[in-house]
Amino acid sequence: GNQADSTLVRVLIVSVAPIAVNFVTTIAFFAVSLVLGPCCALCMPQFGKVIAGIVHTISVVTYIAMFFLLWVLEGWAFAPTAMGIVCQVYVQRAIFAVLQHLLLTREFGEDEANVAWWTGRWYGKGMGGWALTLTLREWLCKVIECSVFAADVFTGHLILFFLSLFTLIPWVDRWHSAMLFWLRPSRQIRPPIYSLKQRKQRRRTAVLFGMLFVFVYVVFLGMVVVPQILKPKIPLPSVLLKYLNGRF
């Protein structure tokens, strides 16, 4: 239509919305860990890791949702969507830089506040009267941590997918060692000798993580390819699309 779209509003929404979701998610699961942590730790030693895993997973899903929201607003055009995501990263980096310089204080101890946040056990950490202010500091740290973690997940997997293509080249490990250690292929470092049990364990680990890698690769590839193929058939209510394009 003749109505102009607000690019600035779109970028601000996809940049600020994940941070706002992380603010709500972290404080909500902080309350869960504070109430259930001390008692659940008796029967579930990995309670803190479970809470941390759930929060970080929600953060990754939120970033995926923002990516698809921007994609819909751009009419399933991948190039401007990718540019918008790059812009989102830099906007968030600017926001986090301001928060870190103005609000983030020095860390107390080594890792006591981090462990206490996920497990809910703030007692016996030697924090004393600083425990109240440390919760506010750790809240800000967790919001930044979840956002950076989600960005690292996508960046790390894209690098991994690109580098995995080189493993399909025969004898690439020998040439890689030659480039790293300046060793001729005839003078490679001899591989270690493993026992039968170790070989079985290494083979089992390779198969398990190989299947996991293929699954994640297919999921990432499907999130990009499937909407491009099915975009004319994706059922999106015209009222919703008109509202989104009209507002953003």
Side-chain angles (χ1 to χ4, degrees):
N2 297 324
Q3 187 174 4
D5 298 332
S6 178
T7 304
L8 180 60
V9 175
R10 293 185 181 186
V11 172
L12 288 178
I13 287 177
V14 298
S15 302
V16 177
I19 301 177
V21 172
N22 289 336
F23 264 108
V24 176
T25 304
T26 50
I27 196 62
F29 279 89
F30 166 73
V32 173
S33 63
L34 191 63
V35 174
L36 301 179
C39 58
C40 289
L42 300 176
C43 57
M44 188 187 300
Q46 304 295 326
F47 177 79
K49 293 183 179 181
V50 172
I51 294 296
I54 295 175
V55 173
H56 287 80
T57 302
I58 294 175
S59 177
V60 173
V61 173
T62 302
Y63 272 76
I64 295 176
M66 290 300 105
F67 170 75
F68 278 101
L69 174 62
L70 184 59
W71 208 355
V72 170
L73 294 176
E74 294 295 339
W76 299 109
F78 185 77
T81 303
M83 295 175 62
I85 294 301
V86 172
C87 186
Q88 173 202 31
V89 171
Y90 281 95
V91 170
Q92 290 184 347
R93 286 181 61 182
I95 294 175
F96 294 150
V98 172
L99 294 178
Q100 290 174 2
H101 285 84
L102 297 182
L103 300 178
L104 202 60
T105 59
R106 292 182 60 184
E107 187 175 1
F108 181 89
E110 295 183 0
D111 201 33
E112 291 86 354
N114 175 52
V115 175
W117 178 273
W118 297 122
T119 60
R121 290 176 290 179
W122 291 88
Y123 53 87
K125 302 292 184 181
M127 301 179 187
W130 294 102
L132 180 60
T133 57
L134 285 175
T135 55
L136 299 176
R137 179 197 180 278
E138 203 63 27
W139 184 19
L140 180 59
C141 288
K142 291 298 173 283
V143 172
I144 299 176
E145 175 188 327
C146 289
S147 300
V148 174
F149 173 81
D152 287 345
V153 166
F154 295 110
T155 305
H157 279 84
L158 288 177
I159 295 174
L160 177 64
F161 296 151
F162 176 75
L163 293 179
S164 64
L165 300 177
F166 294 96
T167 61
L168 303 178
I169 303 174
W171 303 292
V172 70
D173 54 341
R174 291 179 175 271
W175 292 107
H176 188 226
S177 300
M179 290 186 291
L180 285 178
F181 305 111
W182 289 54
L183 295 174
R184 293 196 302 269
S186 59
R187 301 192 60 181
Q188 293 288 325
I189 299 176
R190 295 174 60 183
I193 300 175
Y194 297 103
S195 64
L196 182 60
K197 181 179 179 181
Q198 289 175 327
R199 288 200 297 269
K200 288 183 178 180
Q201 184 178 6
R202 287 170 60 86
R203 190 179 301 111
R204 190 183 306 114
T205 303
V207 171
L208 176 62
F209 283 98
M211 295 172 60
L212 180 61
F213 170 77
V214 172
F215 173 76
V216 176
Y217 185 83
V218 171
V219 170
F220 269 73
L221 193 64
M223 287 193 303
V224 177
V225 175
V226 172
Q228 291 287 349
I229 298 176
L230 301 179
K231 59 184 178 182
K233 303 178 182 179
I234 294 179
L236 190 65
S238 58
V239 177
L240 176 61
L241 186 59
K242 182 179 180 180
Y243 173 79
L244 291 176
N245 286 325
R247 294 295 297 270
F248 310 128

